[in-house]
Amino acid sequence: MFTTDSVKAEVPAVATGRPRVLVIGGRLKHVRKARELGLDVVHAQFPDAYDRGHWPYVDQALLLDYGDIDRLLPLVRALHEAYPFQAAVSLSELGLLPTARINEMLGLPGESVATVELLLDKWRMRRHLAAEGMSPVAAAVGRSAQDVREFVQAHGLPIIVKPIRESGSLGVFRIRDRADVDAVAERYRSLDDGHWAVGDLSDAGSFDEFLMEEFLDGPEISVETLTFDGRHVVVAVTDKETGGSGFVEIGHSQPSGCSAETLREVTRLVTDFLDAVGLRNGPGHTEVKLTSRGPRIVESHNRIGGDRINELAEIAYGVDMERYALGAGFGVVEPLTTSPEPRGGAAVRFLTPEPGRVVEVTGIDAVRADPAFVDLQLEVEPGDEVPPLTWNEDKVGHVIARGATATEAIAHGRRLAAAIHVRTEPVA
């Protein structure tokens, strides 16, 4: 195994004749799927996220904080010289920029650093779209309450204040009145006092400044795409439901209930946007607000959407976007030529019990036996503490349901989620 302290093979390298991929971060299922596609796998991962479960699927491993680019690149270069791979791929947010830097350093195919940076940096993306005359949204960077007051004076209330580079609904505030205007900078800075683990944040300086944007009215959807040599295919459009602070997503469903006209307009916007940022290959997850002035880009990522969106696409459309993300560049999956037709409905409902200490969990067996049930994940048990719902990582689990239509799947998902009782008591 390669580590930050030594360089040695976990297993002897064998000339298999199979293509070899470097997978940066992600989940166990990603390296499993890569192996199932017939690829040899080199895996860069945080040490505490790698265990014996990975062994059947990984040929060589590099265990380190892969967000530390200065340490990562020379080790990857040495790894590549010993066990050459044809491309680096990542399906995780934190792995996107390291992956682009690796492919650029080694002259391998992959998205450019410039494209990945455009998608990661929301302020840079807003300026780029403004220069292209696309999806206009008033925005500015702030560091103080005075900056917020000046933005409000120019654009009115409400506004949105959020991190420039983070994801997962972390640190997103809607400013509705003057009291919020004066307090939001301090509230935002207080996020820096959080006990963040390695992998929680994309940048240690994430809370030094913030992005201010005009508030976009209307519902939010996301557009799930796969791109093949610059040709964009919409796989699915996901309808979203939010809760908690108003931005944490508590439910998703496919196919979308939007009108055909709206979907055509959104498809044009998203494919034009992907062209504008230079995305050439791989998955895309683009969030769009359906405002009273037309659809507007919220943000986008050159990865698959989180919150089990890929599982919904598999159920509703029969497309495993992860397999395409891992295998399309190696010719082991056939590119999509057109958007798939829906086969049924799928919905995920997230479990958000009252904050406090878990006393009892019931209903799991009955949910698993239900004909509409697809998947259940619950990350708490008696004795664990449920935090207030402030960002996506505060959700304690989910249930996925299927139906003949999205409406039916949503109803099943709500019913099954309600059947799982996570009883809590206040923490003294």
Side-chain angles (χ1 to χ4, degrees):
M1 158 188 316
F2 281 79
T3 71
T4 55
D5 300 313
S6 63
V7 179
K8 60 182 179 179
E10 182 182 23
V11 295
V14 177
T16 63
R18 296 190 295 258
R20 180 174 288 133
V21 62
L22 170 62
V23 178
I24 307 293
R27 300 174 181 270
L28 172 60
K29 65 175 181 175
H30 298 151
V31 294
R32 173 178 55 79
K33 287 183 179 183
R35 175 52 57 85
E36 290 171 352
L37 287 167
L39 304 176
D40 283 349
V41 178
V42 181
H43 191 30
Q45 183 59 281
F46 295 120
D48 62 357
Y50 185 89
D51 58 30
R52 65 175 60 246
H54 293 76
W55 294 358
Y57 314 112
V58 175
D59 298 284
Q60 285 83 35
L62 177 63
L63 305 183
L64 79 168
D65 176 0
Y66 55 79
D68 186 343
I69 295 289
D70 291 338
R71 299 181 71 190
L72 175 71
L73 293 183
L75 286 167
V76 167
R77 185 183 292 278
L79 182 65
H80 181 61
E81 290 174 357
Y83 310 107
F85 42 86
Q86 282 70 59
V89 176
S90 184
L91 282 72
S92 68
E93 181 82 2
L94 292 181
L96 299 176
L97 186 56
T99 297
R101 293 285 301 274
I102 288 167
N103 286 328
E104 179 182 76
M105 174 184 70
L106 298 175
L108 301 176
E111 295 311 304
S112 70
V113 172
T115 292
V116 175
E117 279 282 10
L118 265 180
L119 295 173
L120 290 173
D121 188 319
K122 300 176 182 67
W123 173 231
R124 187 178 296 185
M125 183 201 75
R126 283 284 175 233
R127 287 181 294 171
H128 184 71
L129 291 185
E132 295 284 327
M134 181 183 300
S135 189
V137 176
V141 171
R143 299 180 65 92
S144 67
Q146 181 60 29
D147 294 332
V148 181
R149 286 191 286 269
E150 291 175 359
F151 189 81
V152 169
Q153 185 174 5
H155 302 287
L157 287 170
I159 67 166
I160 297 295
V161 170
K162 63 184 182 182
I164 292 173
R165 293 185 71 94
E166 296 301 334
S167 61
S169 301
L170 173 62
V172 181
F173 300 101
R174 178 163 58 181
I175 311 306
R176 297 181 176 89
D177 54 38
R178 296 293 171 179
D180 287 341
V181 169
D182 293 335
V184 68
E186 184 175 344
R187 288 175 63 198
Y188 185 84
R189 294 258 193 272
S190 71
L191 295 172
D192 208 15
D193 299 331
H195 300 292
W196 305 109
V198 173
D200 282 347
L201 302 178
S202 64
D203 189 277
S206 286
F207 305 118
D208 292 343
E209 54 188 13
F210 44 81
L211 184 64
M212 301 173 290
E213 293 182 339
E214 65 172 295
F215 177 73
L216 300 176
D217 63 341
E220 182 175 316
I221 60 175
S222 66
V223 182
E224 326 308 335
T225 55
L226 289 168
T227 297
F228 306 91
D229 195 24
R231 181 176 55 83
H232 313 298
V233 177
V234 173
V235 174
V237 175
T238 307
D239 291 341
K240 297 174 177 287
E241 182 178 349
T242 58
S245 65
F247 301 101
V248 179
E249 294 157 358
I250 60 172
H252 300 317
S253 61
Q254 295 176 9
S256 173
C258 292
S259 69
E261 181 181 356
T262 296
L263 291 176
R264 284 193 295 269
E265 189 176 7
V266 167
T267 295
R268 285 195 299 269
L269 173 64
V270 170
T271 53
D272 288 348
F273 166 79
L274 296 177
D275 283 340
V277 299
L279 190 73
R280 298 292 303 167
N281 287 285
H285 169 68
T286 305
E287 296 167 0
V288 176
K289 269 294 193 84
L290 303 177
T291 80
S292 55
R293 295 176 295 150
R296 294 289 187 270
I297 301 291
V298 177
E299 58 188 63
S300 185
H301 313 266
N302 65 308
R303 59 164 171 79
I304 297 159
D307 281 347
R308 300 306 185 267
I309 282 176
N310 189 59
E311 285 87 336
L312 300 188
E314 285 190 81
I315 298 166
Y317 291 95
V319 176
D320 183 347
M321 295 180 66
E322 292 175 345
R323 287 174 58 88
Y324 280 94
L326 292 163
F330 297 91
V332 294
V333 291
E334 284 294 320
L336 294 179
T337 56
T338 59
S339 297
E341 292 295 326
R343 302 177 174 185
V348 59
R349 190 77 180 179
F350 297 99
L351 305 177
T352 57
E354 288 294 317
R357 183 169 289 107
V358 178
V359 176
E360 183 182 37
V361 178
T362 59
I364 290 177
D365 290 342
V367 165
R368 291 187 183 279
D370 193 284
F373 168 81
V374 176
D375 183 56
L376 169 66
Q377 180 176 314
L378 185 62
E379 298 174 356
V380 294
E381 58 186 18
D384 291 339
E385 190 171 329
V386 176
L389 187 61
T390 59
W391 72 306
N392 281 352
E393 295 304 312
D394 293 326
K395 295 179 288 196
V396 303
H398 70 263
V399 61
I400 297 178
R402 69 172 76 242
T405 64
T407 300
E408 186 175 290
I410 291 168
H412 286 317
R414 289 175 175 167
R415 175 176 58 79
L416 295 180
I420 299 170
H421 300 286
V422 180
R423 186 163 64 88
T424 62
E425 62 182 9
V427 178

